[in-house]
Structures are given as structure tokens and as C-alpha cells.
Amino acid sequence: MAEPAARVGVARGAVAEGLAVLIGILLAFAIDAAWEERGQRATERELLTAVQNELVDARSGFAENKARLEQVSRRGTEVLRALGTPTPGSISDDSVIVLSRGVSPPPMYYPPRAALDDLTGSGGIALVQSDSVRRAIAAYGRTLSHDLQRQELLLELWRVELAPYLYNHSTVAPGDGVLVGADDLPPRPSSVDRSAYLGNRTYLNLVSAQSLRIRDVGNTHDRAIDAIDRVLELLGR
């Protein structure tokens, strides 16, 4: 009877040893999973903090550029009022020159997005636990694309239509905002084609079109700011 009892004891010992090994393996897996989860949460915090800081800067940039755009739009409105229905001979050539230069290149704004691209392009967005945060960040990215499209349309109008018009019908001088970076060029006598500006439908339509496109960009800037505020709110900023 002693021999069977010994065999039972050996079997029990083997089972216990096997269970100990299994528990050790499961414990090791659990520890590894805990460390991996901890690392993922640390990466998530790092990525979202970078995005958060970037969004704060972008918000200021959008607000400042909208203010600059509004200045350009106000100058355009002044030009339309002065040149739209003038009394013949009531505006001097010098005044026409000044008014023609009142329409200037639109300011462009390209928000910082390195942290956003790092989050969305490297797969880091999958580490973000909150569905609401992921959706808000995606919405902000779409808003940026729309805003850039509107800004490019505005810039295209200047490059293709307004700038060539100024080059063809008036003296473009250093320091007037048209020849950017040419302030060190020598001055030139100014002249202007009055008929190209005074009550000229083509020119007035171009200035009006610029004002409308500036309004569109201002609206997309506002939407970008709203999208930023949504993300910041969700991130607790």
C-alpha cells in the first residue's frame, strides 16, 4: 500500500508544480499587460498634451489673422465707396493711386499642426480612450482642410486677378504692400489709369469678390476656433 500512496504523492506534487508554473506565467502576462497599459496611457497623455498646447497657439493665430483680414476688408469697402460712384474730376490722380493701393494681398495663416499630424499619422489616435476626443480631433482636422481651401481661393484671386490688374493700370511702388520685400528699391514716379478705377465695373467687382472671399475665410476661421474650443473643453483646458 505504500507504493501506490507514494505514486499519488508524486502526482499531486507534479500537479502542484504545474499549477505553480501556470500561475507564474499568468502573473507574468498580467504584469506585462499592466506595464504595457501604463506605457500606452503615458503616451496618450504625452500626445494629447502636445496637441493641447498646439491648439492654444492655433486659436490665437486664427483670431489674429481674422483681425488682419477684417482690416483688409475694411480698406476694400473704403475703396468701393470712394471709387464706386465718384463725381467726375472730384478725385485727384494722387487719391486714385492711394485708393488703388488700398487693396492689398490677403494675410494667410497656416496653423501649427505637427502634434496633430503626429497623433493622427502615427497611429497614436488609437491610444486615445475617449470616443468624444477622437471625434473632436477628427472634426478639427477636417475644419483645417476646409479653411486652407478657402484661404487658397482668396490668395488665388489676388495672384490671378487683382495683382495683375494693379501691375497693368497703376504704378506699383515699394512699401505699398504689393511688392512684398521690395522696400529697398528706388522710388519711381507714380501714375494711374483713372478709367481703370473710377467707376470701373471690372475693378469694383474684383474688390467685391475679395471682400466676399475674406468673409468666407473669416467664417472658416471661426469654425476652426469653435473646433479648437471643443477639443480643449474635452481635454479639460
Side-chain angles (χ1 to χ4, degrees), residues 48-220:
L48 290 180
T49 297
V51 169
Q52 187 178 52
N53 293 335
E54 187 174 85
L55 291 180
V56 172
D57 292 339
R59 193 189 194 287
S60 297
F62 277 118
E64 291 169 2
N65 197 62
K66 184 182 178 183
R68 290 191 291 266
L69 285 168
E70 289 172 347
Q71 285 186 327
V72 175
S73 183
R74 283 194 294 271
R75 289 196 298 268
T77 299
E78 293 170 0
V79 169
L80 289 174
R81 289 173 178 168
L83 299 181
T85 54
T87 302
S90 63
I91 301 179
S92 67
D93 284 355
D94 287 343
S95 295
V96 175
I97 291 172
V98 171
L99 288 167
S100 70
R101 294 175 183 171
V103 180
S104 59
M108 301 287 288
Y109 178 62
Y110 303 100
R113 54 175 303 156
L116 175 67
D117 291 340
D118 188 35
L119 177 67
T120 58
S122 66
I125 192 68
L127 297 176
V128 178
Q129 294 180 295
S130 170
D131 291 339
S132 297
V133 171
R134 288 199 302 272
R135 287 194 296 268
I137 290 174
Y140 173 61
R142 291 192 296 271
T143 301
L144 287 187
S145 298
H146 190 210
D147 179 79
L148 178 60
Q149 180 188 49
R150 292 298 180 180
Q151 288 196 75
E152 288 176 343
L153 287 173
L154 173 59
L155 186 60
E156 179 186 32
L157 177 65
W158 170 260
R159 288 175 172 170
V160 176
E161 301 289 350
L162 274 165
Y165 196 98
L166 295 176
Y167 294 149
N168 289 330
H169 297 293
S170 63
T171 302
V172 180
D176 60 12
V178 179
L179 292 177
V180 178
D183 293 345
D184 56 343
L185 293 178
R188 294 175 295 160
S190 296
S191 62
V192 66
D193 180 359
R194 292 175 62 89
S195 63
Y197 293 99
L198 291 173
N200 186 286
R201 181 173 59 188
T202 298
Y203 182 67
L204 297 177
N205 284 343
L206 289 174
V207 177
S208 297
Q210 186 185 54
S211 294
L212 291 174
R213 292 194 184 184
I214 285 175
R215 184 183 65 186
D216 287 343
V217 173
N219 289 337
T220 59

Side-chain angles (χ1 to χ4, degrees), residues 5-19:
R7 286 199 297 268
V8 171
V10 171
R12 289 177 177 174
V15 170
E17 183 178 351
L19 287 174

Side-chain angles (χ1 to χ4, degrees), residues 49 52-54 56-57 228-229 231-237:
T49 297
Q52 187 178 52
N53 293 335
E54 187 174 85
V56 172
D57 292 339
I228 288 171
D229 288 344
V231 176
L232 292 178
E233 178 185 6
L234 290 170
L235 294 179
R237 178 96 179 214

